[in-house]
């Protein structure tokens, strides 16, 4: 009997090890995500984009504002192929190099199907869309679409964003870029954080 018991314990060890590794991974994955997020904020390059109204317009959903950079359609990168039909066309990863205009707002300068490096490179999704004057265009999918906000500030923030969309001074999204990854850090109104603007108006 002791030998049989010892045999059972020996056979259970691999399963126990797998369970321990799985349990550890459940803790590590979120921690790594938080670490990467904070690292991008601390070390990343700040870039800004003009925001457009989400379609359909619904900027406030729960605890976040829906965010969409105004630039959604650009020239297709060389060599991109169509995959699927119509709305079912598959997004493929592309690397966009950004350049700032005279107002400090960024736009896509070029797209590449191969990874490229640089302080203002961001990894996006793209799929073939319509042709404009014989040139192939792609629809861009940005890696961020929401800005989380304190629920107490959200109603006023929603109103302020709605007032600016489509106007001469639209909201501006500020993000941090590091190694092609992006983190949305703020929404600016006239260069001021939306959090600060709401707090000032509440006084």
């Amino acid at each position: 009997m002791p030998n049989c018991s010892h045999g059972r314990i020996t056979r259970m060890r691999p399963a126990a090890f797998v369970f321990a590794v799985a349990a550890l991974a459940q803790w590590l994955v979120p921690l790594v995500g938080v670490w990467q997020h904070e690292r991008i904020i601390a070390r990343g390059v700040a870039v800004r984009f003009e925001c457009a109204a989400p379609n359909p317009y619904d900027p406030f959903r729960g605890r976040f504002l829906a965010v969409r950079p105004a630039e959604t359609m650009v020239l297709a990168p060389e060599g991109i192929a169509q995959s699927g039909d119509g709305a079912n066309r598959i997004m493929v990863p592309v690397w966009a190099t950004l350049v700032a205009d005279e107002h400090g707002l960024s736009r896509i300068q070029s797209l590449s199907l191969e990874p490229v490096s640089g302080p203002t490179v961001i990894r996006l999704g793209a799929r073939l869309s319509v042709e404009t004057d014989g040139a192939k265009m792609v629809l861009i999918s940005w890696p961020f679409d929401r800005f989380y906000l304190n629920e107490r500030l959200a109603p006023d923030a929603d109103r302020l964003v709605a007032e600016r969309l489509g106007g001469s001074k639209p909201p501006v999204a500020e993000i941090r870029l590091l190694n092609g990854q992006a983190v949305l850090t703020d929404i600016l109104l006239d260069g001021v954080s939306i959090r600060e603007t709401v707090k000032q108006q509440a006084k």
Side-chain angles (χ1 to χ4, degrees):
M1 290 294 292
N3 290 337
C4 292
S5 175
H6 178 72
R8 283 196 297 271
I9 293 173
T10 302
R11 287 194 296 271
M12 288 175 62
R13 283 176 181 171
F17 175 76
V18 171
F19 176 80
V21 170
L24 181 62
Q26 286 184 328
W27 284 94
L28 285 179
V29 170
L31 290 176
V32 169
V34 171
W35 176 79
Q36 289 178 334
H37 185 277
E38 295 301 322
R39 182 169 177 266
I40 293 171
I41 292 175
R43 299 186 181 183
V45 173
V47 297
R48 296 178 176 182
F49 296 95
E50 179 181 319
C51 291
N55 188 20
Y57 173 68
D58 184 14
F60 177 56
R61 297 182 180 179
R63 293 181 299 156
F64 65 86
L65 295 172
V67 177
R68 191 191 76 187
E71 192 171 28
T72 57
M73 197 83 71
V74 296
L75 283 173
E78 194 71 31
I80 191 170
Q82 178 175 317
S83 181
D85 296 316
N88 295 321
R89 289 177 180 172
I90 298 173
M91 286 279 181
V92 298
V94 294
W95 283 260
T97 299
L98 306 176
V99 62
D101 63 17
E102 65 273 17
H103 304 294
L105 298 177
S106 293
R107 61 176 178 81
I108 296 173
Q109 183 181 48
S110 62
L111 290 179
S112 172
L113 292 174
E114 299 296 328
V116 295
S117 60
T120 59
V121 170
I122 181 172
R123 188 176 187 267
L124 306 173
R127 71 174 181 224
L128 278 174
S129 185
V130 298
E131 287 195 8
T132 302
D133 297 328
K136 289 183 178 180
M137 306 294 288
V138 289
L139 181 67
I140 292 297
S141 174
W142 295 88
F144 51 85
D145 61 1
R146 58 188 64 182
F147 180 66
Y148 286 92
L149 201 61
N150 185 301
E151 288 186 355
R152 182 173 55 84
L153 304 177
D156 287 334
D158 177 43
R159 175 180 55 80
L160 290 171
V161 169
E163 291 173 354
R164 300 298 182 95
L165 288 169
S168 59
K169 294 183 178 181
V172 170
E174 183 174 81
I175 69 170
R176 291 276 174 173
L177 285 177
L178 183 65
N179 299 328
Q181 295 181 301
V183 171
L184 176 62
T185 56
D186 210 346
I187 301 296
L188 307 177
L189 303 178
D190 292 330
V192 180
S193 169
I194 193 169
R195 293 189 183 95
E196 294 303 317
T197 301
V198 172
K199 290 177 182 177
Q200 289 296 324
Q201 291 198 359
K203 290 182 178 180

